[in-house]
Amino acid sequence: MLYHAYEMTHAAISPMRAAARMGQEAMTNPLNPFAPSYGARYTAAACEMFINATRRYGKPEFGFDAVEIEGEVVPVIEEVAYELPFCRLLHFRRDFKKKKRRSDPKVLMIAPMSGHYATLLRGTVQSMLPDHDIYITDWTDARDVPLTDGNFDLDDYTDYLIQFCKLLAQDGQRASVMAVCQPGVPMMVAASLMAMADDPARPASVTLMGSPIDTARNPKQPNELATSHKLSWFESHVIKTVPWPNRGFLRQVYPGFLQLSGFMSMNLDRHMDAHVDQFSNLIRGDGDSAASHRRFYDEYMAVMDLTADFYLQTIDRVFQKRLLAIGAYVYRSVLVDPSKIKDIAVLTIEGEKDDITGIGQTEAAHDLLTGLPKTLKSHYTQKDVGHYGVFNGSRWRKEIKPRVSKFIRAHQASVE
């Protein structure tokens, strides 16, 4: 009923939101002689704040038109390389002139399926584009997937990653994989399974960034929340049914709006201060600061539903039982053995101030890779960055990204 109440409330507020939009336009209209007055600016700012607090935030766009490579502006074409019910594999094809075509490493970037859309990695993709041929997992909002398309759980997630690795290896080069945050565990499982099967399409390298491989190491607030309740509590308190008329009608999900409330509550004071500052900026007419706020929250407030099976299995296997870390992870009745990985180079990256994935949780992957030579293992901890700074921002661009690019190039491999 909570999901239905949310949808009904959103619909009920629509007329008020429309009235606020009309009021804002009237207060800011150049033909309004009172538009420059404090009262008009105050009213317009209040209207915008109400609109943004009550509207539905749609899926953002990547919006890449071009990238500069060696001083040349090269057009970027976003295309769907492969499509499955719960994910599209996007390819950012750099449209080189034939005489300048490059053979840069092919990189599969796995976006986290943890509430936000893949566009959360927009900055990550943008910085990697000049030197790499980028593919990214564009996960689909579960509320938009009909029940007829079947279920989606953690094993299905692993299946998707294996399919994508095989697809990218069709040209004879094994893909390099970047798994950001949550997908670190299923990617380790996928790499292990492919190594166990001696699959020629196994990745050439895997880079794990802020991933919860072993959540017992330096646990943070998300880890503590996941282990403070039984699995049945999560099933009864956060799993809801998608209401009509959504395409995923009757699908069991962990709704995006509940996830967003959790995100916001972790740093509530900071978000409240940001919105108070935004109100002041709108009144003062500080367009740059207001635009920066809008860009951030247009991305942050856009959230997607997760299937109940995927979410509950993640809580159970990754956070509560730590199955991969203790050598007990079972995929479709097969015990996963990371020690079988012999030639997949692994780089782990952590942020010194990460308050989501604690120090040591990602590096724990190396303890599982007992069959991998030390020459194929690498770890880096970035000082003075939190979770998001591991894959975005100035430290990512200046210090982390060059290391990732160098690692990927050093460990390219062909399909056997």
Side-chain angles (χ1 to χ4, degrees), residues 135-194:
Y135 293 75
I136 192 169
T137 56
D138 183 29
W139 301 105
T140 305
D141 191 336
R143 65 184 269 152
D144 295 328
V145 183
L147 278 177
T148 53
D149 284 334
N151 297 323
F152 184 83
D153 59 16
L154 201 52
D155 288 342
D156 294 316
Y157 192 116
T158 301
D159 290 338
Y160 276 35
L161 301 187
I162 293 174
Q163 287 186 62
F164 295 153
C165 287
K166 290 183 176 182
L167 177 71
L168 268 58
Q170 288 180 354
D171 65 351
Q173 289 294 318
R174 291 158 57 189
S176 302
V177 177
M178 288 177 59
V180 181
C181 190
Q182 166 269 323
V185 170
M187 188 58 233
M188 279 286 290
V189 172
S192 300
L193 292 169
M194 297 182 82

Short mmCIF file of all heavy atoms in Angstrom, two decimals, residues 135-194:
data_model
loop_
_atom_site.label_atom_id
_atom_site.label_comp_id
_atom_site.label_asym_id
_atom_site.label_seq_id
_atom_site.Cartn_x
_atom_site.Cartn_y
_atom_site.Cartn_z
N TYR A 135 32.29 0.89 -22.88
CA TYR A 135 30.96 0.30 -22.80
C TYR A 135 30.51 0.42 -21.34
O TYR A 135 31.32 0.32 -20.43
CB TYR A 135 30.96 -1.16 -23.21
CG TYR A 135 31.28 -1.43 -24.67
CD1 TYR A 135 32.59 -1.31 -25.14
CD2 TYR A 135 30.28 -1.80 -25.56
CE1 TYR A 135 32.88 -1.56 -26.48
CE2 TYR A 135 30.57 -2.05 -26.89
CZ TYR A 135 31.87 -1.92 -27.35
OH TYR A 135 32.16 -2.17 -28.67
N ILE A 136 29.20 0.60 -21.12
CA ILE A 136 28.71 0.71 -19.75
C ILE A 136 27.37 0.02 -19.60
O ILE A 136 26.55 0.00 -20.54
CB ILE A 136 28.59 2.19 -19.32
CG1 ILE A 136 28.37 2.30 -17.80
CG2 ILE A 136 27.50 2.92 -20.09
CD1 ILE A 136 28.50 3.71 -17.26
N THR A 137 27.15 -0.59 -18.43
CA THR A 137 25.87 -1.24 -18.14
C THR A 137 24.83 -0.19 -17.75
O THR A 137 25.00 0.52 -16.75
CB THR A 137 26.03 -2.24 -17.00
OG1 THR A 137 26.58 -1.57 -15.85
CG2 THR A 137 26.95 -3.39 -17.39
N ASP A 138 23.80 -0.07 -18.52
CA ASP A 138 22.73 0.89 -18.26
C ASP A 138 21.53 0.11 -17.71
O ASP A 138 20.68 -0.36 -18.47
CB ASP A 138 22.37 1.62 -19.56
CG ASP A 138 21.32 2.69 -19.37
OD1 ASP A 138 21.26 3.26 -18.25
OD2 ASP A 138 20.55 2.97 -20.31
N TRP A 139 21.49 -0.04 -16.38
CA TRP A 139 20.47 -0.86 -15.75
C TRP A 139 19.08 -0.24 -15.89
O TRP A 139 18.92 0.98 -15.84
CB TRP A 139 20.80 -1.07 -14.27
CG TRP A 139 22.12 -1.72 -14.07
CD1 TRP A 139 23.28 -1.13 -13.63
CD2 TRP A 139 22.46 -3.09 -14.33
NE1 TRP A 139 24.30 -2.04 -13.59
CE2 TRP A 139 23.83 -3.25 -14.01
CE3 TRP A 139 21.74 -4.19 -14.79
CZ2 TRP A 139 24.49 -4.48 -14.15
CZ3 TRP A 139 22.39 -5.40 -14.92
CH2 TRP A 139 23.74 -5.54 -14.61
N THR A 140 18.08 -1.08 -16.04
CA THR A 140 16.70 -0.64 -16.27
C THR A 140 15.94 -0.57 -14.95
O THR A 140 16.08 -1.43 -14.08
CB THR A 140 15.98 -1.63 -17.21
OG1 THR A 140 16.73 -1.75 -18.42
CG2 THR A 140 14.58 -1.14 -17.54
N ASP A 141 15.14 0.46 -14.79
CA ASP A 141 14.28 0.61 -13.62
C ASP A 141 13.32 -0.57 -13.57
O ASP A 141 12.57 -0.83 -14.52
CB ASP A 141 13.50 1.92 -13.74
CG ASP A 141 12.78 2.30 -12.45
OD1 ASP A 141 12.50 1.40 -11.64
OD2 ASP A 141 12.49 3.50 -12.28
N ALA A 142 13.35 -1.32 -12.47
CA ALA A 142 12.53 -2.54 -12.38
C ALA A 142 11.05 -2.26 -12.52
O ALA A 142 10.28 -3.15 -12.92
CB ALA A 142 12.82 -3.24 -11.05
N ARG A 143 10.60 -1.06 -12.19
CA ARG A 143 9.18 -0.74 -12.32
C ARG A 143 8.74 -0.67 -13.78
O ARG A 143 7.55 -0.65 -14.07
CB ARG A 143 8.86 0.59 -11.61
CG ARG A 143 9.50 1.79 -12.21
CD ARG A 143 9.23 3.05 -11.42
NE ARG A 143 8.04 3.74 -11.89
CZ ARG A 143 7.26 4.49 -11.14
NH1 ARG A 143 7.52 4.61 -9.85
NH2 ARG A 143 6.22 5.11 -11.64
N ASP A 144 9.71 -0.64 -14.68
CA ASP A 144 9.42 -0.56 -16.11
C ASP A 144 9.58 -1.89 -16.83
O ASP A 144 9.47 -1.95 -18.06
CB ASP A 144 10.33 0.48 -16.78
CG ASP A 144 10.07 1.89 -16.27
OD1 ASP A 144 8.92 2.18 -15.93
OD2 ASP A 144 11.03 2.69 -16.22
N VAL A 145 9.86 -2.96 -16.08
CA VAL A 145 10.06 -4.28 -16.70
C VAL A 145 8.85 -5.17 -16.40
O VAL A 145 8.59 -5.50 -15.24
CB VAL A 145 11.34 -4.96 -16.17
CG1 VAL A 145 11.56 -6.29 -16.89
CG2 VAL A 145 12.54 -4.05 -16.35
N PRO A 146 8.09 -5.57 -17.42
CA PRO A 146 6.89 -6.40 -17.20
C PRO A 146 7.23 -7.73 -16.54
O PRO A 146 8.34 -8.27 -16.71
CB PRO A 146 6.34 -6.62 -18.62
CG PRO A 146 6.95 -5.54 -19.45
CD PRO A 146 8.29 -5.25 -18.84
N LEU A 147 6.29 -8.26 -15.79
CA LEU A 147 6.49 -9.56 -15.15
C LEU A 147 6.77 -10.67 -16.16
O LEU A 147 7.43 -11.65 -15.85
CB LEU A 147 5.25 -9.92 -14.33
CG LEU A 147 5.12 -9.31 -12.93
CD1 LEU A 147 3.81 -9.73 -12.30
CD2 LEU A 147 6.29 -9.74 -12.05
N THR A 148 6.26 -10.51 -17.36
CA THR A 148 6.47 -11.52 -18.40
C THR A 148 7.93 -11.67 -18.79
O THR A 148 8.32 -12.66 -19.42
CB THR A 148 5.64 -11.18 -19.65
OG1 THR A 148 5.93 -9.83 -20.06
CG2 THR A 148 4.16 -11.32 -19.38
N ASP A 149 8.78 -10.68 -18.44
CA ASP A 149 10.20 -10.76 -18.74
C ASP A 149 10.97 -11.54 -17.69
O ASP A 149 12.20 -11.65 -17.76
CB ASP A 149 10.81 -9.35 -18.88
CG ASP A 149 10.45 -8.70 -20.20
OD1 ASP A 149 10.19 -9.45 -21.17
OD2 ASP A 149 10.41 -7.46 -20.27
N GLY A 150 10.26 -12.08 -16.70
CA GLY A 150 10.89 -12.93 -15.71
C GLY A 150 11.48 -12.18 -14.53
O GLY A 150 11.34 -10.96 -14.41
N ASN A 151 12.16 -12.93 -13.67
CA ASN A 151 12.76 -12.37 -12.47
C ASN A 151 14.21 -11.95 -12.73
O ASN A 151 14.79 -12.25 -13.78
CB ASN A 151 12.71 -13.38 -11.33
CG ASN A 151 11.30 -13.73 -10.92
OD1 ASN A 151 10.42 -12.87 -10.93
ND2 ASN A 151 11.06 -14.98 -10.59
N PHE A 152 14.79 -11.29 -11.74
CA PHE A 152 16.18 -10.86 -11.85
C PHE A 152 16.78 -10.88 -10.46
O PHE A 152 16.37 -10.13 -9.57
CB PHE A 152 16.27 -9.45 -12.44
CG PHE A 152 17.69 -8.98 -12.68
CD1 PHE A 152 18.37 -9.35 -13.83
CD2 PHE A 152 18.34 -8.19 -11.75
CE1 PHE A 152 19.68 -8.92 -14.05
CE2 PHE A 152 19.65 -7.76 -11.95
CZ PHE A 152 20.32 -8.13 -13.11
N ASP A 153 17.76 -11.78 -10.26
CA ASP A 153 18.40 -11.86 -8.95
C ASP A 153 19.92 -11.72 -9.12
O ASP A 153 20.41 -11.38 -10.21
CB ASP A 153 18.04 -13.17 -8.24
CG ASP A 153 18.44 -14.42 -9.02
OD1 ASP A 153 19.27 -14.30 -9.95
OD2 ASP A 153 17.95 -15.51 -8.69
N LEU A 154 20.67 -11.99 -8.06
CA LEU A 154 22.12 -11.80 -8.09
C LEU A 154 22.79 -12.74 -9.08
O LEU A 154 23.79 -12.38 -9.71
CB LEU A 154 22.68 -11.99 -6.68
CG LEU A 154 24.05 -11.37 -6.37
CD1 LEU A 154 24.10 -9.90 -6.75
CD2 LEU A 154 24.37 -11.54 -4.89
N ASP A 155 22.25 -13.94 -9.23
CA ASP A 155 22.82 -14.88 -10.21
C ASP A 155 22.54 -14.41 -11.63
O ASP A 155 23.38 -14.56 -12.52
CB ASP A 155 22.26 -16.28 -10.00
CG ASP A 155 22.80 -16.95 -8.74
OD1 ASP A 155 23.84 -16.48 -8.24
OD2 ASP A 155 22.19 -17.92 -8.26
N ASP A 156 21.35 -13.85 -11.86
CA ASP A 156 21.04 -13.29 -13.17
C ASP A 156 21.99 -12.13 -13.48
O ASP A 156 22.43 -11.95 -14.63
CB ASP A 156 19.60 -12.80 -13.22
CG ASP A 156 18.60 -13.93 -13.10
OD1 ASP A 156 18.80 -14.97 -13.75
OD2 ASP A 156 17.62 -13.78 -12.33
N TYR A 157 22.27 -11.32 -12.47
CA TYR A 157 23.21 -10.20 -12.62
C TYR A 157 24.56 -10.75 -13.10
O TYR A 157 25.18 -10.21 -14.04
CB TYR A 157 23.36 -9.51 -11.27
CG TYR A 157 24.07 -8.18 -11.26
CD1 TYR A 157 23.41 -7.02 -10.89
CD2 TYR A 157 25.42 -8.08 -11.58
CE1 TYR A 157 24.06 -5.79 -10.86
CE2 TYR A 157 26.08 -6.86 -11.54
CZ TYR A 157 25.40 -5.73 -11.18
OH TYR A 157 26.03 -4.51 -11.14
N THR A 158 25.03 -11.82 -12.47
CA THR A 158 26.29 -12.45 -12.85
C THR A 158 26.23 -12.96 -14.29
O THR A 158 27.19 -12.81 -15.05
CB THR A 158 26.61 -13.60 -11.89
OG1 THR A 158 26.70 -13.10 -10.55
CG2 THR A 158 27.92 -14.27 -12.26
N ASP A 159 25.10 -13.55 -14.66
CA ASP A 159 24.92 -14.02 -16.04
C ASP A 159 25.07 -12.88 -17.03
O ASP A 159 25.70 -13.04 -18.09
CB ASP A 159 23.54 -14.66 -16.21
CG ASP A 159 23.40 -15.99 -15.49
OD1 ASP A 159 24.44 -16.62 -15.21
OD2 ASP A 159 22.26 -16.39 -15.20
N TYR A 160 24.49 -11.73 -16.71
CA TYR A 160 24.58 -10.56 -17.59
C TYR A 160 26.05 -10.16 -17.79
O TYR A 160 26.49 -9.87 -18.92
CB TYR A 160 23.81 -9.39 -17.00
CG TYR A 160 22.33 -9.38 -17.29
CD1 TYR A 160 21.59 -10.55 -17.38
CD2 TYR A 160 21.64 -8.18 -17.47
CE1 TYR A 160 20.23 -10.54 -17.63
CE2 TYR A 160 20.28 -8.15 -17.73
CZ TYR A 160 19.57 -9.32 -17.81
OH TYR A 160 18.22 -9.29 -18.06
N LEU A 161 26.82 -10.13 -16.71
CA LEU A 161 28.21 -9.71 -16.81
C LEU A 161 29.02 -10.69 -17.67
O LEU A 161 29.87 -10.26 -18.47
CB LEU A 161 28.83 -9.61 -15.41
CG LEU A 161 28.16 -8.63 -14.44
CD1 LEU A 161 28.98 -8.51 -13.16
CD2 LEU A 161 27.96 -7.26 -15.07
N ILE A 162 28.75 -11.97 -17.53
CA ILE A 162 29.44 -12.97 -18.35
C ILE A 162 29.08 -12.78 -19.82
O ILE A 162 29.95 -12.83 -20.71
CB ILE A 162 29.09 -14.39 -17.88
CG1 ILE A 162 29.68 -14.64 -16.48
CG2 ILE A 162 29.61 -15.43 -18.86
CD1 ILE A 162 29.27 -15.97 -15.86
N GLN A 163 27.80 -12.55 -20.10
CA GLN A 163 27.37 -12.31 -21.48
C GLN A 163 28.07 -11.09 -22.08
O GLN A 163 28.50 -11.11 -23.23
CB GLN A 163 25.86 -12.12 -21.53
CG GLN A 163 25.04 -13.38 -21.31
CD GLN A 163 23.56 -13.14 -21.53
OE1 GLN A 163 23.13 -12.79 -22.63
NE2 GLN A 163 22.78 -13.31 -20.48
N PHE A 164 28.18 -10.04 -21.29
CA PHE A 164 28.81 -8.81 -21.79
C PHE A 164 30.30 -9.04 -22.07
O PHE A 164 30.84 -8.53 -23.06
CB PHE A 164 28.62 -7.67 -20.80
CG PHE A 164 27.18 -7.25 -20.62
CD1 PHE A 164 26.75 -6.67 -19.42
CD2 PHE A 164 26.24 -7.44 -21.62
CE1 PHE A 164 25.43 -6.29 -19.25
CE2 PHE A 164 24.92 -7.06 -21.46
CZ PHE A 164 24.52 -6.48 -20.27
N CYS A 165 30.97 -9.78 -21.19
CA CYS A 165 32.39 -10.07 -21.42
C CYS A 165 32.57 -10.87 -22.71
O CYS A 165 33.50 -10.62 -23.49
CB CYS A 165 32.97 -10.84 -20.24
SG CYS A 165 33.24 -9.85 -18.75
N LYS A 166 31.70 -11.83 -22.93
CA LYS A 166 31.78 -12.63 -24.15
C LYS A 166 31.50 -11.79 -25.39
O LYS A 166 32.16 -11.96 -26.43
CB LYS A 166 30.80 -13.80 -24.07
CG LYS A 166 31.18 -14.86 -23.05
CD LYS A 166 30.22 -16.03 -23.06
CE LYS A 166 30.68 -17.13 -22.11
NZ LYS A 166 29.77 -18.30 -22.13
N LEU A 167 30.55 -10.89 -25.28
CA LEU A 167 30.22 -10.03 -26.42
C LEU A 167 31.41 -9.16 -26.80
O LEU A 167 31.73 -9.02 -27.99
CB LEU A 167 29.02 -9.15 -26.05
CG LEU A 167 28.58 -8.13 -27.11
CD1 LEU A 167 27.94 -8.85 -28.29
CD2 LEU A 167 27.61 -7.12 -26.53
N LEU A 168 32.07 -8.58 -25.80
CA LEU A 168 33.16 -7.66 -26.09
C LEU A 168 34.42 -8.38 -26.56
O LEU A 168 35.31 -7.76 -27.15
CB LEU A 168 33.49 -6.82 -24.85
CG LEU A 168 32.76 -5.48 -24.74
CD1 LEU A 168 31.26 -5.65 -24.74
CD2 LEU A 168 33.21 -4.72 -23.51
N ALA A 169 34.49 -9.69 -26.32
CA ALA A 169 35.67 -10.45 -26.73
C ALA A 169 35.54 -11.01 -28.14
O ALA A 169 36.46 -11.70 -28.62
CB ALA A 169 35.93 -11.59 -25.74
N GLN A 170 34.46 -10.71 -28.82
CA GLN A 170 34.22 -11.30 -30.14
C GLN A 170 35.23 -10.83 -31.19
O GLN A 170 35.41 -11.49 -32.21
CB GLN A 170 32.80 -10.99 -30.61
CG GLN A 170 31.74 -11.77 -29.85
CD GLN A 170 30.33 -11.47 -30.32
OE1 GLN A 170 30.10 -10.59 -31.15
NE2 GLN A 170 29.36 -12.20 -29.79
N ASP A 171 35.88 -9.69 -30.94
CA ASP A 171 36.85 -9.21 -31.92
C ASP A 171 38.25 -9.74 -31.66
O ASP A 171 39.22 -9.32 -32.30
CB ASP A 171 36.88 -7.68 -31.95
CG ASP A 171 37.38 -7.09 -30.64
OD1 ASP A 171 37.55 -7.84 -29.67
OD2 ASP A 171 37.62 -5.86 -30.60
N GLY A 172 38.37 -10.65 -30.68
CA GLY A 172 39.67 -11.28 -30.42
C GLY A 172 40.43 -10.69 -29.25
O GLY A 172 41.46 -11.23 -28.85
N GLN A 173 39.94 -9.60 -28.67
CA GLN A 173 40.59 -8.99 -27.51
C GLN A 173 39.72 -9.17 -26.27
O GLN A 173 38.54 -8.83 -26.30
CB GLN A 173 40.83 -7.50 -27.77
CG GLN A 173 41.90 -7.21 -28.80
CD GLN A 173 43.29 -7.63 -28.34
OE1 GLN A 173 43.66 -7.43 -27.19
NE2 GLN A 173 44.06 -8.22 -29.26
N ARG A 174 40.31 -9.70 -25.20
CA ARG A 174 39.57 -9.83 -23.95
C ARG A 174 39.33 -8.45 -23.34
O ARG A 174 40.21 -7.58 -23.37
CB ARG A 174 40.36 -10.71 -22.98
CG ARG A 174 40.42 -12.16 -23.40
CD ARG A 174 41.59 -12.90 -22.78
NE ARG A 174 41.56 -12.82 -21.32
CZ ARG A 174 42.58 -13.24 -20.56
NH1 ARG A 174 43.69 -13.70 -21.11
NH2 ARG A 174 42.48 -13.15 -19.24
N ALA A 175 38.15 -8.25 -22.81
CA ALA A 175 37.77 -6.94 -22.29
C ALA A 175 38.47 -6.64 -20.96
O ALA A 175 38.84 -7.54 -20.21
CB ALA A 175 36.26 -6.87 -22.09
N SER A 176 38.65 -5.36 -20.70
CA SER A 176 39.07 -4.90 -19.38
C SER A 176 37.82 -4.41 -18.67
O SER A 176 37.00 -3.72 -19.27
CB SER A 176 40.09 -3.76 -19.51
OG SER A 176 41.21 -4.17 -20.25
N VAL A 177 37.68 -4.77 -17.40
CA VAL A 177 36.44 -4.48 -16.68
C VAL A 177 36.72 -3.53 -15.52
O VAL A 177 37.70 -3.68 -14.80
CB VAL A 177 35.80 -5.79 -16.13
CG1 VAL A 177 34.55 -5.47 -15.32
CG2 VAL A 177 35.47 -6.73 -17.28
N MET A 178 35.84 -2.55 -15.35
CA MET A 178 35.84 -1.67 -14.19
C MET A 178 34.52 -1.86 -13.46
O MET A 178 33.45 -1.59 -14.02
CB MET A 178 35.99 -0.20 -14.61
CG MET A 178 37.35 0.20 -15.10
SD MET A 178 37.36 1.94 -15.64
CE MET A 178 36.87 2.76 -14.10
N ALA A 179 34.57 -2.32 -12.23
CA ALA A 179 33.35 -2.52 -11.43
C ALA A 179 33.35 -1.49 -10.31
O ALA A 179 34.25 -1.50 -9.45
CB ALA A 179 33.30 -3.94 -10.86
N VAL A 180 32.37 -0.61 -10.32
CA VAL A 180 32.31 0.49 -9.36
C VAL A 180 31.33 0.17 -8.24
O VAL A 180 30.13 0.01 -8.47
CB VAL A 180 31.92 1.81 -10.05
CG1 VAL A 180 31.88 2.95 -9.05
CG2 VAL A 180 32.90 2.13 -11.17
N CYS A 181 31.84 0.02 -7.03
CA CYS A 181 31.04 -0.20 -5.83
C CYS A 181 30.36 -1.57 -5.84
O CYS A 181 31.01 -2.60 -5.96
CB CYS A 181 30.04 0.94 -5.63
SG CYS A 181 29.20 0.93 -4.02
N GLN A 182 29.03 -1.59 -5.76
CA GLN A 182 28.25 -2.81 -5.57
C GLN A 182 28.59 -3.95 -6.53
O GLN A 182 28.61 -5.12 -6.10
CB GLN A 182 26.76 -2.46 -5.63
CG GLN A 182 25.80 -3.62 -5.79
CD GLN A 182 25.52 -3.92 -7.24
OE1 GLN A 182 25.43 -3.00 -8.07
NE2 GLN A 182 25.39 -5.19 -7.57
N PRO A 183 28.83 -3.72 -7.82
CA PRO A 183 29.06 -4.86 -8.72
C PRO A 183 30.39 -5.58 -8.53
O PRO A 183 30.66 -6.54 -9.24
CB PRO A 183 28.98 -4.23 -10.12
CG PRO A 183 29.26 -2.80 -9.93
CD PRO A 183 28.75 -2.45 -8.57
N GLY A 184 31.20 -5.13 -7.57
CA GLY A 184 32.46 -5.81 -7.34
C GLY A 184 32.29 -7.29 -7.02
O GLY A 184 33.04 -8.14 -7.53
N VAL A 185 31.31 -7.63 -6.19
CA VAL A 185 31.09 -9.03 -5.81
C VAL A 185 30.61 -9.86 -7.00
O VAL A 185 31.22 -10.89 -7.32
CB VAL A 185 30.13 -9.14 -4.61
CG1 VAL A 185 29.70 -10.58 -4.39
CG2 VAL A 185 30.78 -8.58 -3.36
N PRO A 186 29.52 -9.48 -7.69
CA PRO A 186 29.12 -10.31 -8.84
C PRO A 186 30.17 -10.36 -9.95
O PRO A 186 30.27 -11.35 -10.66
CB PRO A 186 27.82 -9.65 -9.32
CG PRO A 186 27.79 -8.30 -8.70
CD PRO A 186 28.54 -8.40 -7.43
N MET A 187 31.00 -9.31 -10.07
CA MET A 187 32.06 -9.37 -11.09
C MET A 187 33.15 -10.35 -10.68
O MET A 187 33.68 -11.08 -11.52
CB MET A 187 32.66 -7.97 -11.30
CG MET A 187 33.64 -7.92 -12.48
SD MET A 187 32.86 -8.43 -14.03
CE MET A 187 33.99 -9.72 -14.60
N MET A 188 33.48 -10.39 -9.40
CA MET A 188 34.43 -11.39 -8.92
C MET A 188 33.88 -12.80 -9.14
O MET A 188 34.62 -13.72 -9.52
CB MET A 188 34.72 -11.17 -7.44
CG MET A 188 35.75 -10.09 -7.15
SD MET A 188 37.43 -10.62 -7.54
CE MET A 188 37.71 -11.84 -6.24
N VAL A 189 32.59 -12.96 -8.92
CA VAL A 189 31.95 -14.26 -9.14
C VAL A 189 32.00 -14.61 -10.63
O VAL A 189 32.36 -15.74 -11.00
CB VAL A 189 30.49 -14.24 -8.64
CG1 VAL A 189 29.76 -15.52 -9.05
CG2 VAL A 189 30.45 -14.06 -7.13
N ALA A 190 31.68 -13.65 -11.48
CA ALA A 190 31.69 -13.89 -12.93
C ALA A 190 33.10 -14.24 -13.41
O ALA A 190 33.29 -15.18 -14.19
CB ALA A 190 31.17 -12.64 -13.67
N ALA A 191 34.10 -13.49 -12.94
CA ALA A 191 35.48 -13.76 -13.35
C ALA A 191 35.92 -15.14 -12.87
O ALA A 191 36.60 -15.88 -13.59
CB ALA A 191 36.40 -12.69 -12.80
N SER A 192 35.52 -15.51 -11.66
CA SER A 192 35.88 -16.83 -11.11
C SER A 192 35.25 -17.95 -11.93
O SER A 192 35.90 -18.95 -12.25
CB SER A 192 35.43 -16.93 -9.65
OG SER A 192 36.06 -15.95 -8.85
N LEU A 193 33.97 -17.78 -12.25
CA LEU A 193 33.28 -18.80 -13.03
C LEU A 193 33.89 -18.97 -14.42
O LEU A 193 34.06 -20.09 -14.91
CB LEU A 193 31.79 -18.44 -13.16
CG LEU A 193 30.96 -18.51 -11.88
CD1 LEU A 193 29.60 -17.88 -12.09
CD2 LEU A 193 30.81 -19.96 -11.41
N MET A 194 34.25 -17.85 -15.04
CA MET A 194 34.86 -17.92 -16.37
C MET A 194 36.25 -18.55 -16.29
O MET A 194 36.66 -19.28 -17.20
CB MET A 194 34.92 -16.53 -16.98
CG MET A 194 33.54 -15.92 -17.22
SD MET A 194 33.57 -14.28 -18.00
CE MET A 194 33.76 -14.74 -19.74
#
